[in-house]
Amino acid sequence: MPVAIEKRARAAYLTFSRPPLNVFDLALLRELGATLESLKGDESLNFLVLSGGGERAFSAGVDVGDHTRARVPEMLDTVHGVMRTLFELPQVTVAAVRGACLGGGCELASCCDLVVASDESFFATPEIDVGCYPPVALARFWSEIGYHRAAEMILTGRRLSAQEALTLGLVNRVVPRAELERAVEELLEELRQKSAAVLRIALRALREIALRNFLAALKRSEDIYLRDLLATEDVEEGVRAFLEKRKPFWKHR
């Protein structure tokens, strides 16, 4: 199963798997979205832990093949639908990150309430290298890590170590790789000591205030992507070059 879920001790542990790097295609995104939707009404669950299957990646992002002009509208609608659903869940969401956390995978982790990462994990939004940009990061990161840091991530695609991500505020905790699962459980145990009713109210209030302008910003980011970015010649060249495993020849238009 591409998406597996286990429930225990008031927590759901959701693992998405598409070896070797858990790249999101439309089928995986749809299944992930449906699984998240199924958790909305489950009052027995207070926490949700998301992780990527295997040892190499949380996720290396959305399949570049789905970034073509023909597929982009459906791709954006599907991947952003998953992230909107995350914000609608009543559970506290925790991303457990090991290995590569790139592009849409990085955006997905950032949409969780808390992020625990292994020390060898790394983060980037490298869409610029294939003639695209990350719409969620564009709409969200400036308020999370500051405008100039967001600009560097989005405009250069630079890879950040787990420690750099911690310093920037993209990550809450960094632990040795072998201790990731234990660190997540320790965090959940901290939360289990609180009133579940109060946690839900505090979480709802936090999201409502912190995300007040996010949905409008994401819609605007999507509009610019569909109207302006897809009108360029370079967006097709970037995707084609990636799929053909060569450097892009930019026409700068």
Side-chain angles (χ1 to χ4, degrees):
M1 290 286 290
V3 178
I5 191 163
E6 178 186 356
K7 299 177 183 180
R8 64 177 188 274
R10 295 165 51 200
Y13 298 79
L14 189 158
T15 303
F16 46 86
S17 183
R18 188 171 179 242
L21 296 175
N22 302 319
V23 171
F24 294 123
D25 63 0
L26 291 174
L28 176 54
L29 287 166
R30 290 190 192 102
E31 185 173 351
L32 179 56
T35 304
L36 293 175
E37 283 284 346
S38 73
L39 299 177
K40 282 184 177 180
D42 194 334
E43 296 186 358
S44 69
L45 297 174
N46 300 122
F47 315 107
L48 169 64
V49 178
L50 285 99
S51 58
E55 298 296 319
R56 294 181 59 187
F58 179 78
S59 171
V62 178
D63 196 327
V64 173
D66 289 328
H67 285 71
T68 60
R69 283 194 182 100
R71 296 185 183 179
V72 159
E74 183 180 8
M75 180 271 289
L76 290 183
D77 183 63
T78 306
V79 69
H80 295 169
V82 168
M83 296 176 192
R84 290 184 179 99
T85 300
L86 268 179
F87 289 131
E88 296 169 356
L89 293 177
Q91 294 88 9
V92 178
T93 57
V94 181
V97 177
R98 62 165 56 87
C101 190
L102 307 176
C106 183
E107 292 177 311
L108 180 68
S110 79
C111 288
C112 291
D113 300 304
L114 299 163
V115 183
V116 182
S118 61
D119 55 5
E120 41 60 71
S121 62
F122 52 93
F123 301 76
T125 51
E127 285 88 340
I128 198 77
D129 294 328
V130 293
C132 304
Y133 69 73
V136 173
L138 190 147
R140 182 163 166 76
F141 281 11
W142 64 270
S143 62
E144 283 197 317
I145 62 176
Y147 177 85
H148 292 102
R149 289 166 171 170
E152 183 174 10
M153 284 194 71
I154 293 166
L155 300 181
T156 73
R158 187 172 76 85
R159 180 177 294 188
L160 304 177
S161 68
Q163 193 59 49
E164 286 178 295
L166 177 66
T167 300
L168 290 183
L170 283 175
V171 167
N172 294 94
R173 303 180 184 186
V174 173
V175 299
R177 181 185 183 92
E179 298 177 16
L180 180 61
E181 290 183 8
R182 186 174 71 179
V184 170
E185 288 305 313
E186 289 174 351
L187 175 57
L188 292 182
E189 194 55 37
E190 287 181 48
L191 295 169
R192 288 189 182 102
Q193 303 308 309
K194 319 302 180 188
S195 161
V198 173
L199 270 180
R200 287 200 177 203
I201 294 169
L203 181 62
R204 189 179 74 228
L206 174 62
R207 288 179 182 163
E208 183 176 325
I209 293 169
L211 302 174
R212 183 173 296 161
N213 299 315
F214 169 68
L215 293 180
L218 180 57
K219 178 63 168 60
R220 181 60 178 149
S221 180
E222 291 171 344
D223 289 345
I224 294 171
Y225 197 113
L226 295 171
R227 185 194 65 201
D228 298 338
L229 182 65
L230 293 188
T232 68
E233 295 182 37
D234 284 343
V235 70
E236 285 289 296
E237 168 60 14
V239 171
R240 189 181 304 113
F242 180 89
L243 296 175
E244 294 173 0
K245 296 180 171 54
R246 60 174 174 80
K247 289 185 177 181
F249 178 71
W250 301 123
K251 295 183 178 179
H252 306 293
R253 61 178 184 268

